[in-house]
Amino acid sequence: MLAAEAARLAALEVLCPKSALDADGPYPTLAGHKVFDSRLVGIDDLDPTAKFTPVLALFTADSAAVMRGEAASFDDAEATSTLEIIAELAVASTDEAGEPFADAMPADDWDARLVLAALCGQVRRLLQYDERGWLFRRFVRRVVRVTEETFAIPQLGARWHRVTMRFELSLPDDVFVDAAGMPEPLKTLAALLPSGSPARNKLTVLAAHFNAVTRTPLAGVDFADPALDVGLTANME
């Protein structure tokens, strides 16, 4: 659903503004510029000089549009989506073959846990409270529920400094019209994103693939019943 994509892309701009990228800071979270859209952190994203690298990764977990009731019109739907934001303190690790990869830091450092908690708090504050989060809230009716789950295997007593934040969102539904161009709400988002933003550039390209809808003209309406020789025919030409 386009509304879910709009919410995620707006959140991405809030958590890592293009203006901060252009000026190399200041950034609104401890993750700095390491905020990724629909991908996890890679080994090349890590800071080799740091004990760990705070990172954020945004994903659209699910989306749906449900009619408001049995008598609802075709365009009267309640849209929902789950925005997942994975916050973690990433470190370099190696697999069985000795190949390096990025993984979450094992949860054996209470000080690091506080850093991770602060990062999660920054995310919630920006998206739900801070004035800088207006772009995200522009495309979200309300945040219904927020949950945070620490990555762990309790049976093995293993935990990592990775938290999956799930924002359950109520959204306005997608709006489709006959005119060519990107449907709402992505059309409005593209106009609000800063010039040169990768998301804005991509949306501009994709908008060209939404052609105008050509409808067959209505020739008339026939209420006649030939069998009974009664009725009414309205010629629209």
Side-chain angles (χ1 to χ4, degrees), residues 178-181 210-214:
D178 290 351
F210 287 86
N211 300 321
V213 176
T214 302

Side-chain angles (χ1 to χ4, degrees), residues 1 3 64-80 139-142 144 169-175:
M1 289 178 54
V66 181
M67 305 310 295
R68 293 182 184 275
E70 294 295 331
S73 63
F74 78 96
D75 59 351
D76 187 14
E78 174 75 17
T80 60
F139 296 94
V140 173
R141 280 181 175 154
R142 64 190 180 102
V144 179
L169 308 176
S170 172
L171 308 169
D173 196 11
D174 301 345
V175 179

